[in-house]
């Protein structure tokens, strides 16, 4: 009887605390990881500006029972610099996710236009490896991103460490759908780590689906942005 | 299949056209700044292995940081 009561209490605690909350992630670009993956022993002179200007960025994920919202922390001033690789990697977009519909939309402002990009679904592969991160026992899941790049398709390995004890299927950017909160995530040489987890906040968290912008798929947006990147001069000439 | 292809081509052309038209909201960019950012964005994309979206973001950060 005692065991049953403990189990019920634990179940209720887990399900109730996971209804709403906030997670702060720190985003970091690792030059060491980059050089290692490139087989370069050390930085070269042309990277100097990037090394000097790349800074960590704080991001926040808010969530309720079915939806989440991910963006850079408004309260922290991010240095405006083309050389801050972390800023480029985090991106200019904000992310809305609906767990029930399994839909993620990136709100992206580009060239004076607002876009609502429906992100491609992520297919995770589960691995047996475990690791304790920030006091949470985490399990590993991986996926490979296929992104359009200047020289063709870029494959980027993504490793997520999620905590099954926190039954929230959300995470940074469009990385969702795991059976536990993502505590740490590696996307190539770029890392997110949860530095603050606030569960079961007293304040209600209202998240609304974005509607302001042009709807399109990631593939459609890639065509637009590739056209922009190849013909920037043409676009610039049209500005008044 | 042919109809579908025409529809997709039309949708992409329309999206590109409307994107170009809406770009009028942005202020004219100094040609010198454009040349610098264009060249550096291409080089940075090659160096850091960026996606199209990341390269576009870099170019735009460059313009905004210097305007």
């Amino acid at each position: 009887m005692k065991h049953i009561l403990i189990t019920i209490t634990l179940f209720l605690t887990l399900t109730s605390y996971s209804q709403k909350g906030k997670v702060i992630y720190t985003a970091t670009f690792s030059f060491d990881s980059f050089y290692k993956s490139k087989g370069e022993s050390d930085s070269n002179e042309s990277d100097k500006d990037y090394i000097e200007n790349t800074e960590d960025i704080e991001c926040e994920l808010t969530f309720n029972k079915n939806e989440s919202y991910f963006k850079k922390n408004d309260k922290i001033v991010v240095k405006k610099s083309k050389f801050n690789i972390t800023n480029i990697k985090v991106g200019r977009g904000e992310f809305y996710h609906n767990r029930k519909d399994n839909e993620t939309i990136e709100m992206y402002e580009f060239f004076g236009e607002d876009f609502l990009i429906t992100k491609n679904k992520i297919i995770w592969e589960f691995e047996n490896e475990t690791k304790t991160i920030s006091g949470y026992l985490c399990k590993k899941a991986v996926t490979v991103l296929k992104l359009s790049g200047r020289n063709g398709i870029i494959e980027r390995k993504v490793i997520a460490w999620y905590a099954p004890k926190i039954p929230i299927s959300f995470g940074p950017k469009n990385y969702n759908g795991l059976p536990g909160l993502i505590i740490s995530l590696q996307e190539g040489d770029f890392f997110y780590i949860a530095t603050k987890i606030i569960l079961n906040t007293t304040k209600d968290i209202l998240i609304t689906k974005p509607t302001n912008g042009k709807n399109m798929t990631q593939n459609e947006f890639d065509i637009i942005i590739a056209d922009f990147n190849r013909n920037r001069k043409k676009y610039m000439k049209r500005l008044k | 299949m042919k109809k579908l292809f025409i529809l997709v081509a039309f949708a992409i052309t329309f999206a590109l056209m409307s994107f170009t038209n809406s770009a009028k909201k942005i202020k004219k960019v100094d040609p010198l700044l454009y040349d610098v950012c264009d060249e550096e964005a291409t080089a940075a994309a090659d160096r850091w292995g960026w996606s199209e979206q990341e390269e576009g973001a870099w170019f735009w950060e460059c313009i905004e940081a210097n305007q």
Side-chain angles (χ1 to χ4, degrees):
Chain A
M1 189 62 191
K2 196 179 162 190
H3 287 293
I4 293 169
L5 273 174
I6 291 169
T7 310
I8 290 169
T9 312
L10 188 65
F11 176 77
L12 286 174
T13 310
L14 286 174
T15 47
S16 64
Y17 85 50
S18 60
Q19 300 300 303
K20 54 191 175 177
K22 187 173 169 178
V23 181
I24 303 292
Y25 289 96
T26 298
T28 307
F29 180 78
S30 167
F31 286 96
D32 286 345
S33 171
F34 174 79
Y35 293 130
K36 204 175 162 191
S37 67
K38 281 257 182 187
E40 295 175 14
S41 55
D42 206 354
S43 63
N44 64 42
E45 188 58 24
S46 62
D47 296 341
K48 198 174 142 237
D49 285 334
Y50 290 96
I51 294 167
E52 281 175 5
N53 287 284
T54 295
E55 294 176 346
D56 290 356
I57 291 177
E58 200 172 88
C59 303
E60 64 175 44
L61 172 80
T62 46
F63 61 88
N64 57 32
K65 193 180 173 191
N66 292 315
E67 297 159 301
S68 70
Y69 198 91
F70 181 82
K71 62 173 187 165
K72 283 179 203 166
N73 190 344
D74 294 336
K75 289 166 197 157
I76 310 271
V77 178
V78 176
K79 186 161 77 176
K80 272 273 176 202
S81 167
K82 59 190 178 184
F83 297 114
N84 186 350
I85 294 182
T86 312
N87 197 30
I88 302 296
K89 289 283 180 186
V90 173
R92 298 164 70 88
E94 297 186 357
F95 294 81
Y96 164 87
H97 176 71
N98 187 306
R99 184 179 67 85
K100 270 177 143 182
D101 300 337
N102 191 20
E103 179 186 46
T104 307
I105 297 169
E106 181 178 7
M107 286 138 279
Y108 199 86
E109 189 268 325
F110 188 75
F111 207 58
E113 188 71 47
D114 292 318
F115 293 94
L116 297 176
I117 309 162
T118 302
K119 306 300 279 184
N120 296 334
K121 305 269 181 288
I122 290 177
I123 298 160
W124 294 105
E125 278 181 30
F126 296 92
E127 296 190 359
N128 292 327
E129 209 176 321
T130 59
K131 186 157 85 171
T132 302
I133 306 169
S134 308
Y136 294 98
L137 180 71
C138 296
K139 287 188 170 180
K140 186 180 181 182
V142 297
T143 190
V144 176
L145 281 188
K146 288 188 177 171
L147 305 163
S148 296
R150 162 170 290 275
N151 301 315
I153 297 294
I154 298 164
E155 290 200 347
R156 210 173 272 168
K157 190 174 180 185
V158 177
I159 302 169
W161 293 95
Y162 64 96
K165 278 210 168 170
I166 307 175
I168 300 160
S169 62
F170 303 129
K173 285 176 96 174
N174 55 321
Y175 299 108
N176 295 290
L178 289 169
L181 177 72
I182 295 177
I183 304 293
S184 168
L185 184 127
Q186 178 180 0
E187 183 195 292
D189 308 308
F190 183 58
F191 296 79
Y192 285 99
I193 184 137
T195 47
K196 196 174 181 183
I197 302 171
I198 306 159
L199 300 166
N200 201 20
T201 52
T202 47
K203 228 169 49 174
D204 277 341
I205 293 172
L206 184 69
I207 297 168
T208 46
K209 186 176 175 175
T211 52
N212 187 25
K214 281 185 182 159
N215 288 291
M216 60 183 63
T217 63
Q218 181 69 56
N219 295 346
E220 286 166 340
F221 185 70
D222 284 345
I223 291 170
I224 286 179
I225 206 141
D227 187 68
F228 179 86
N229 285 338
R230 295 301 88 72
N231 303 290
R232 287 191 279 252
K233 202 163 221 161
K234 183 183 84 183
Y235 281 92
M236 292 298 137
K237 277 183 180 169
R238 289 175 187 171
L239 296 176
K240 290 184 178 173
Chain B
M1 190 63 193
K2 198 178 164 189
K3 277 182 185 171
L4 181 71
F5 178 75
I6 292 166
L7 269 173
V8 170
F10 179 76
I12 290 168
T13 310
F14 180 75
L16 282 171
M17 276 171 63
S18 56
F19 173 54
T20 309
N21 289 338
S22 65
K24 285 172 190 164
K25 285 190 240 167
I26 312 265
K27 272 196 297 179
K28 197 171 174 66
V29 175
D30 179 348
L32 276 176
L33 174 61
Y34 160 77
D35 283 341
V36 170
C37 290
D38 183 52
E39 200 176 304
E40 287 188 0
T42 308
D46 284 337
R47 172 64 179 145
W48 305 104
W50 286 344
S51 67
E52 296 284 8
Q53 199 166 333
E54 287 163 348
E55 183 182 337
W58 194 99
F59 177 76
W60 209 239
E61 290 289 336
C62 177
I63 298 288
E64 285 178 350
N66 292 287
Q67 246 183 348

